[in-house]
Amino acid sequence: MINNKNWHENHFETLGFGSRLSDSVAKGMGSWKFIILQTVLVILWMVLNIVGFFYHWDVYPFILLNLLFSTQAAYAAPIIMMSQNRQSERDRLQAQADYQTNIDAKKEIEALTIILNKLDVEKLDKIIAMLEEMKK
């Protein structure tokens, strides 16, 4: 059976649930969508607590909001670092695979060069032989 998957697809299949989850979290938290959504939620939180017609659940200076941010940072930092470490390992493995491909290609090119040189020598020998026969 022929494997039509590229290197990245094959690598992705080797990842476990935790690895895929941390990559997804890092990808999500590193996006503009997340930044914009979080900004909207923070502004909404502050406005509702400042105006608070009926109930102020987190009055200024928004201690609960700060606690939520601290908790988010405490979990986000190691998850993002796990994803970055895995990315570094993947890049190292890909560089090694690229290096091996280059070595294999170099060997193949050298073998082809030897064959072409041999063919050129044989052709030149035939041409020289034909010229010598023409001189006779």
Side-chain angles (χ1 to χ4, degrees):
M1 184 173 163
I2 298 174
N3 185 1
N4 290 329
K5 296 179 181 173
N6 66 28
W7 191 92
H8 296 285
E9 291 167 339
N10 287 331
H11 178 74
F12 183 76
E13 288 178 355
T14 65
L15 298 178
F17 174 75
S19 298
R20 290 181 187 190
L21 180 63
S22 66
D23 287 347
S24 296
V25 169
K27 183 177 180 182
M29 291 186 87
S31 70
W32 277 109
K33 182 179 178 181
F34 176 80
I35 298 294
I36 292 168
L37 178 65
Q38 184 162 340
T39 302
V40 168
L41 289 176
V42 167
I43 291 171
L44 184 64
W45 180 289
M46 289 177 175
V47 167
L48 289 175
N49 277 288
I50 290 173
V51 174
F53 292 113
F54 300 108
Y55 182 67
H56 299 274
W57 70 88
D58 187 22
V59 294
Y60 182 83
F62 310 114
I63 307 245
L64 181 59
L65 182 62
N66 284 318
L67 178 64
L68 291 174
F69 279 141
S70 297
T71 304
Q72 178 187 29
Y75 282 98
I79 289 172
I80 290 169
M81 288 188 67
M82 284 188 288
S83 181
Q84 288 176 337
N85 289 341
R86 199 170 18 271
Q87 178 70 35
S88 296
E89 178 66 14
R90 190 186 88 184
D91 290 346
R92 188 189 64 74
L93 291 172
Q94 184 177 8
Q96 183 62 37
D98 289 346
Y99 176 75
Q100 189 59 46
T101 299
N102 290 341
I103 294 295
D104 294 343
K106 179 182 175 191
K107 288 178 183 176
E108 190 172 333
I109 290 169
E110 287 172 348
L112 287 172
T113 302
I114 290 169
I115 291 170
L116 289 174
N117 286 340
K118 184 178 174 185
L119 289 174
D120 285 345
V121 170
E122 289 174 1
K123 285 181 184 178
L124 285 174
D125 287 344
K126 286 181 184 178
I127 291 171
I128 291 171
M130 287 172 46
L131 287 173
E132 286 178 357
E133 277 197 29
M134 288 175 73
K135 284 184 181 179
K136 294 180 182 180

